[in-house]
Amino acid sequence: MSRSATAPLPAPARATAVGTLLTAALAGCMVLTGCVAKTPEIPKAPATASTSTTPSVDYPIAIQRFGGVAGFSDTVNIDVDRSVIAKVNRQTLSCTLDEASFSAITKAALAVGDSGNDSTPTMAHPDDMLVLLNAVPTTDDRIKDVEPVVTSLLEDLAKPKAKRTVCR
């Protein structure tokens, strides 16, 4: 009995032939193309990297003074480079804050963070004066040490430019 080239193989012979072909193909694939999946290496963090976040100040730092018998309505904005844009006595001015004042005010701003965003300071009497640093009263226990620095800055800004010592 002779078999034609196109005649199908009996079922057991066909399964063995297919299994052999698949095994050979898999082995060839592994050898020639490296199709064995390798687990990728996960990069390691540098040894000096810190997992904690360092608190930082959101600039500009805003100082506001309003109220009082004189009816103050002053604003001071201090940027990261110590530059100041202020509106004092209805005049807009700019200057550069001295390093000591900048350091003290930045430290206070860091202490209060953005906690002033949720508060609404009020005055007990119509003639009360309120001074705020990032919307927190400078009388707040967390920043009360900066109150004289802020007062000095506001007084300095009210002077003519040639007479200023804190913000030139």
Side-chain angles (χ1 to χ4, degrees), residues 38-121:
K38 293 181 181 177
T39 305
E41 273 192 48
I42 298 172
K44 292 180 174 50
T48 59
S50 173
T51 56
S52 66
T53 34
T54 304
S56 63
V57 174
D58 287 332
Y59 289 95
I61 298 170
I63 296 173
Q64 298 170 302
R65 173 175 66 174
F66 51 93
V69 176
F72 289 107
S73 181
D74 303 329
T75 59
V76 179
N77 290 299
I78 305 167
D79 215 336
V80 67
D81 63 355
R82 298 185 0 229
S83 63
V84 173
I85 302 288
K87 185 174 182 186
V88 177
N89 296 333
R90 297 185 186 112
Q91 294 181 26
T92 302
L93 53 100
S94 61
C95 55
T96 301
L97 188 60
D98 70 39
E99 289 187 36
S101 299
F102 179 75
S103 177
I105 292 169
T106 298
K107 181 179 174 185
L110 188 59
V112 296
D114 61 359
S115 63
N117 293 343
D118 299 327
S119 67
T120 307

